[in-house]
Amino acid sequence: MDTPQIGFVVFDGFQPLDLVGPHEVFGNAGYRSRIIAPRAGLVRSRSALPVHAEYGVDDVDPAGVDTLVVVGGAGVDEARRDEALVGWIAAAGAAARRVTSVCSGVFLLAAAGLLRGRRVTTHWKRRDQLAAEHPELTVDCDPIFIRDGRFWTSAGVTAGMDLALALVEEDLGRDIAHEVARELVMFLRRPGSQSQFSVPLWSARPSSDPIRIVVDAVHAVPGARHGIEDLAARAGLSPRHLQRRFTAELGVPPAAYVERVRVEAARRALAEGDDPVEAIARTCGFGTAETLRRAFHRHVGVPPSDYRDRFRSTKEYA
């Protein structure tokens, strides 16, 4: 296929990794990219890193962009009040083969009216704001990226690189996408269904000592006995009292919490080691490989073997 033209949209206060990460992925795969801002010239990122945008929106035919990538960052709230910028994004998005956003860049796509009725994701911190301001969207902030037709949205910062690798794979094949990942010393591409939430993010911290003791014990040895009776004994509470307090403080019941911690432990074991799935299932407290597979499908969206193939540490290629 002809080399696609990538159009990156930036603005004052953008998140630099939202631009630089995907830009490097596409560059290593041989794509041509243009950085487009409200006006050509110097654009200051959120961290004050200056970037030169060669093009302003008045300089670029919106019909000439194959893949539109709208980055995010703290400046997105001000940027979406720029009528000229939003209008150009709307025109470019209507014509583009693919329309994508990184992190809070989804707010600009939504302001341009491109996402009505779509399922989208963004950085987990922006979930409630996006859902409240755009009820016409289905907001799901568990996956690291989501594809809905020709529209792709991704979670924060490094998830933009996973999205870019997925687009490279769609265009050029899995082998080239993996070569790009190796060149950039990245993990091999994570599937979009990979959760953006690790345990410290999806769970609140306990507010009382008994629950903190229980949580620390689960994290210390995920594969140990963590039934409700075992946890209640550690906390010095009755099982019913523990169930009630645990759920109130952390937002999930003990059994669900234990399962998610065990899934996290299994993910690490699959990515970093060579133990068979059956052994990892026993070590992480699932008992059988089938139980582990069912839990993986619930939380990660892919079977353990597929996860290992896609998310193996790049240390084996060093």
Side-chain angles (χ1 to χ4, degrees):
M1 64 179 294
D2 294 335
T3 303
Q5 175 72 59
I6 311 295
F8 285 95
V9 174
V10 300
F11 43 82
D12 283 334
F14 75 94
Q15 165 58 254
L17 277 177
D18 289 1
L19 168 66
V20 176
H23 191 281
E24 287 299 297
V25 171
F26 287 123
N28 274 271
Y31 291 70
R32 297 175 295 116
S33 295
R34 291 188 286 184
I35 300 177
I36 305 160
R39 288 159 296 281
L42 191 66
V43 183
R44 293 198 175 276
S45 71
R46 177 185 178 186
S47 62
L49 177 72
V51 169
H52 179 75
E54 187 176 1
Y55 303 96
V57 293
D58 291 337
D59 305 319
V60 179
D61 178 1
V65 177
D66 174 84
T67 298
L68 181 66
V69 183
V70 180
V71 307
V76 74
D77 294 315
E78 182 65 28
R80 59 192 170 136
R81 289 190 279 269
D82 185 328
E83 294 183 3
L85 176 63
V86 173
W88 186 90
I89 290 172
R97 177 169 64 98
R98 289 183 301 216
V99 179
T100 75
S101 64
V102 183
C103 195
S104 55
V106 68
F107 283 89
L108 274 166
L109 295 183
L114 293 168
L115 298 177
R116 183 173 298 276
R118 301 287 178 178
R119 177 171 168 256
V120 301
T121 192
T122 188
H123 192 286
W124 59 273
K125 283 188 174 181
R126 289 274 197 160
R127 172 183 52 197
D128 292 343
Q129 179 190 1
L130 184 62
E133 294 183 2
H134 292 282
E136 75 277 14
L137 309 181
T138 300
V139 180
D140 181 357
C141 283
D142 190 56
I144 60 171
F145 64 82
I146 288 174
R147 179 182 186 177
D148 188 339
R150 66 188 182 95
F151 297 91
W152 302 63
T153 54
S154 69
V157 289
T158 58
M161 299 181 74
D162 295 295
L163 172 60
L165 281 170
L167 300 181
V168 170
E169 182 173 328
E170 181 182 57
D171 288 344
L172 304 177
R174 181 182 177 93
D175 290 345
I176 291 179
H178 279 201
E179 285 302 316
V180 171
R182 294 168 187 171
E183 178 68 23
L184 296 176
V185 197
M186 294 172 59
F187 286 109
L188 298 186
R189 184 174 69 79
R190 293 182 287 175
S193 55
Q194 166 73 46
S195 175
Q196 63 174 291
F197 297 108
S198 62
V199 168
L201 296 182
W202 61 257
S203 170
R205 287 295 299 164
S207 58
S208 67
D209 286 340
I211 306 304
R212 191 174 299 112
I213 289 170
V214 168
V215 166
D216 289 346
V218 173
H219 283 280
V221 189
R225 290 175 56 92
H226 295 311
I228 189 65
E229 298 285 347
D230 305 293
L231 298 178
R234 285 185 176 276
L237 304 171
S238 70
R240 180 176 296 181
H241 192 190
L242 172 68
Q243 183 87 9
R244 183 170 60 252
R245 285 186 59 175
F246 194 103
T247 305
E249 291 187 27
L250 276 75
V252 293
Y257 188 94
V258 169
E259 181 174 87
R260 294 201 69 165
V261 172
R262 286 173 171 170
V263 168
E264 291 296 322
R267 283 169 50 187
R268 290 193 298 272
L270 288 163
E272 297 170 4
D274 298 312
D275 290 343
V277 172
E278 292 78 7
I280 291 173
R282 291 192 299 271
T283 300
C284 294
F286 290 101
T288 68
E290 181 56 32
T291 303
L292 171 58
R293 290 188 186 97
R294 289 199 299 267
F296 239 69
H297 272 291
R298 282 193 296 272
H299 295 286
V300 185
V302 296
S305 57
D306 194 7
Y307 181 89
R308 168 171 270 167
D309 288 343
R310 299 191 191 188
F311 199 46
R312 176 77 68 143
S313 170
T314 55
K315 67 182 181 180
E316 64 186 274
Y317 303 110

